[in-house]
Amino acid sequence: MYNINRYLNLKEKLKELRTIALTGIAEAGSGHPGASFSAAEIMGCLYFQIMNNDIKNPSNPNRDYFINSKAHSAPGYYATLSLVGSFPKEEIKTLRKLNSRLQGHPVRFSEMQKHHSVPGIEYSGGSEGIGLSVSIGICLANKLDKRDNMVYCLLGDGETNEGQIWEASMAAAKFKLNNLIAILDRNKIQQDGFTEEIMPIDPIKEKWLSFNWEVVEINGHKIEQLIPELLKKPVDRPKIIIANTVKGNGIKHMANNPQWHGKAPSKKHLPLLIRELEGEYMISPSIIAGTDGIGEESLKQKIATAERYGADMIHLDVMDGKFVPNSTFFFDTIKKLRDGTRLPFDTHLMIQNPAKVLEQYIDAGCDVISVHAEACSNEQEFEKINTKLISSGVSPGLAVNPGTELPEWVFSYLDNLDVIIIMSVNPGFAGQKFIPEVLPKMKRAIPLLRERGFKGYFEADGGIDLSTIKQCFDAGCRIFVMGNAIFGNSDVEKRIRDTKFLLDSYLEKSLLDESQSLNLEEDWIKGRRNIIEQFNLAR
């Protein structure tokens, strides 16, 4: 069974989290974008899915606690809290201003300090190395009170230079604090440079193991890796998740760059930076493609190859031979494939009567399930499907064929749709050529749906390759289903790498062109030169 609650909806919230944080930092002219962006997935997953935390009742004794020991990530923390209803998102523009509730480091919220803080903040941070000790105190108190709530402590790898961290780690192990999960934001950069050059902490995993902690190591930007580990509580000892991250992740010139530890971008660059965040995309290889068939072992091999070389999701084309001419595989095969990967399953049901079998695909572990508008007999049938998917934690999607316009009733469900697939081939056959007449449809439908409030993803499916993907990206699609373009190629790694380079360079050129239209080109190039040269766009 999957663990992620509405995968695509969560991805959208994380993008918004970064946008809010960046807006506050740019408005303030100071702050810490690097630390906020490396920890965005960690804080977002905790607040949007993991923690039992009622922001309207912040003193509930049975709540889970979040202790942000690396408190300089305050802008990202504030953005997270705003998205769970702690305060209006617009208030982020008061960051670091006189009399603001959102200071450079968070202040613990209480009724006595409600004019100086916002609901949800448990810990007044600033000095490094203290948060783990505070977390241990809360864990011990909760055990004395016989409460089974959890404490989650976010650590920076720079602060593990502090001796207090290691004294605290010994105490946590001594008292067998199985109500404590620490998350180490291992972005490998601290205030003055790279951690391993200033004071090496590797081998970090072995160190925590030697202190008798349960230790796991993951990619901290992959929510499909992060959430299962946050949900998995330790048994008889504290647990630490070593989350390998990239400082400044999401903005290319900030990523892995020590200069952006505590530096604010220019406010005039904000539109360009937000556009870059909105340009985040996902590659979803379709495993029915290629010449080696759709047997179970072949499918497993394709999934393993796609994951190894950087695919973001796995696209599962389910065909029943009735709604479309051909048949592929069904829920029983998907269930067998599920244990072989943590990559999200993006399942496209090209079948008649999808409502009748929906439960089986949910149970098989699909993270995203899209049904065809043409397969729904009426709006009521789609509403039933949509409600079932949302209540089961699955991202709901709607697909339309090239010759089909979106039904008028779709506008009633924009808040409860996570993806809309605009087919660029007629469904039912792999290896078809892209239908160019679909592009005007994309360019017409996508802005209209955005204007009407749709915040989810648009997915391009059918004939997507290096010759068509830029046009779909330009139209507003951000998920790309690629079949033969990947698995019909002898070098899958190179094809995925080339696809990402193509999209990244196209976005970079778009940003450069926009900087010119905003009369910011010279200034933009100055701060972005290394990235521009990387994509051979130097002027």
Side-chain angles (χ1 to χ4, degrees), residues 259-537:
Q259 293 181 16
W260 289 96
H261 171 83
K263 176 181 173 182
S266 169
K267 188 176 176 181
K268 59 188 177 183
H269 289 169
L270 188 59
L272 296 170
L273 299 175
I274 290 175
R275 181 169 174 183
E276 181 175 8
L277 292 175
E278 291 173 345
E280 180 190 30
Y281 60 84
M282 287 180 275
I283 305 297
S284 185
S286 172
I287 58 174
I288 67 167
T291 59
D292 47 356
I294 56 172
E296 186 181 329
E297 290 307 312
S298 173
L299 296 176
K300 286 181 178 178
Q301 181 59 45
K302 289 175 187 175
I303 290 171
T305 301
E307 183 167 24
R308 182 164 63 250
Y309 295 138
D312 302 292
M313 298 194 292
I314 297 297
H315 191 78
L316 305 172
D317 287 301
V318 178
M319 304 181 191
D320 64 358
K322 298 174 183 176
F323 179 73
V324 292
N326 289 315
S327 61
T328 52
F329 46 78
F330 300 100
F331 62 87
D332 52 341
T333 299
I334 294 174
K335 197 164 190 174
K336 293 174 184 175
L337 299 174
R338 181 68 277 181
D339 289 339
T341 180
R342 282 184 171 177
L343 280 182
F345 278 180
D346 173 26
T347 306
H348 183 180
L349 297 184
M350 290 174 266
I351 62 176
Q352 287 182 356
N353 303 316
K356 291 184 177 180
V357 294
L358 201 62
E359 187 71 49
Q360 294 162 318
Y361 286 93
I362 293 169
D363 183 63
C366 301
D367 299 274
V368 183
I369 297 180
S370 298
V371 300
H372 268 262
E374 301 88 350
C376 297
S377 57
N378 51 45
E379 178 183 351
Q380 289 70 35
E381 183 178 359
F382 176 76
E383 182 177 21
K384 178 182 175 183
I385 291 169
N386 188 260
T387 300
K388 179 62 179 175
L389 291 174
I390 288 176
S391 65
S392 301
V394 177
S395 278
L398 184 69
V400 290
N401 289 339
T404 305
E405 292 298 325
L406 282 164
E408 188 66 28
W409 49 256
V410 75
F411 294 105
S412 301
Y413 298 92
L414 296 183
D415 288 341
N416 293 318
L417 264 178
D418 291 343
V419 62
I420 294 174
I421 301 178
I422 301 177
M423 294 293 295
S424 43
V425 298
N426 291 305
F429 300 92
Q432 297 181 68
K433 295 293 185 182
F434 184 89
I435 299 174
E437 290 77 16
V438 171
L439 276 171
K441 178 180 176 180
M442 289 179 176
K443 291 178 179 179
R444 181 177 68 253
I446 291 175
L448 174 63
L449 288 159
R450 291 293 187 216
E451 288 172 11
R452 298 286 286 268
F454 180 62
K455 294 183 178 180
Y457 284 87
F458 290 98
E459 182 168 332
D461 184 356
I464 305 300
D465 58 23
L466 295 181
S467 69
T468 58
I469 196 168
K470 284 196 303 185
Q471 296 165 299
C472 295
F473 182 93
D474 192 50
C477 295
R478 292 296 180 266
I479 299 176
F480 300 99
V481 179
M482 301 180 73
N484 283 347
I486 289 179
F487 292 118
N489 194 277
S490 59
D491 192 338
V492 172
E493 179 182 16
K494 184 176 186 302
R495 179 49 55 92
I496 293 177
R497 186 174 66 245
D498 288 350
T499 301
K500 291 187 174 185
F501 184 88
L502 180 71
L503 289 175
D504 290 343
S505 61
Y506 182 72
L507 176 60
E508 195 63 35
K509 184 179 185 305
S510 299
L511 296 174
L512 187 57
D513 291 343
E514 188 171 344
S515 74
Q516 186 178 33
S517 68
L518 295 172
N519 295 317
L520 298 172
E521 184 178 22
E522 184 177 347
D523 193 41
W524 179 254
I525 291 174
K526 182 190 293 186
R528 192 88 167 184
R529 186 174 300 279
N530 289 344
I531 308 301
I532 291 169
E533 290 175 352
Q534 177 185 330
F535 293 112
N536 304 314
L537 298 172

Side-chain angles (χ1 to χ4, degrees), residues 166-227:
W166 300 105
E167 292 180 52
S169 68
M170 285 190 287
K174 169 184 168 60
F175 293 112
K176 302 185 187 305
L177 296 183
N178 60 349
N179 54 348
L180 173 62
I181 295 181
I183 307 101
L184 178 63
D185 181 9
R186 183 73 168 109
N187 61 42
K188 301 180 178 64
I189 292 175
Q190 53 184 282
Q191 181 172 342
D192 296 320
F194 290 98
T195 302
E196 297 309 296
E197 294 176 1
I198 294 170
M199 184 58 68
I201 62 174
D202 273 336
I204 191 65
K205 183 176 182 179
E206 288 75 9
K207 285 174 181 172
W208 285 95
L209 283 168
S210 71
F211 278 74
N212 204 27
W213 282 55
E214 180 184 331
V215 184
V216 293
E217 189 167 7
I218 63 165
N219 181 331
H221 297 305
K222 294 283 188 181
I223 61 178
E224 63 268 23
Q225 295 182 26
L226 187 57
I227 285 177

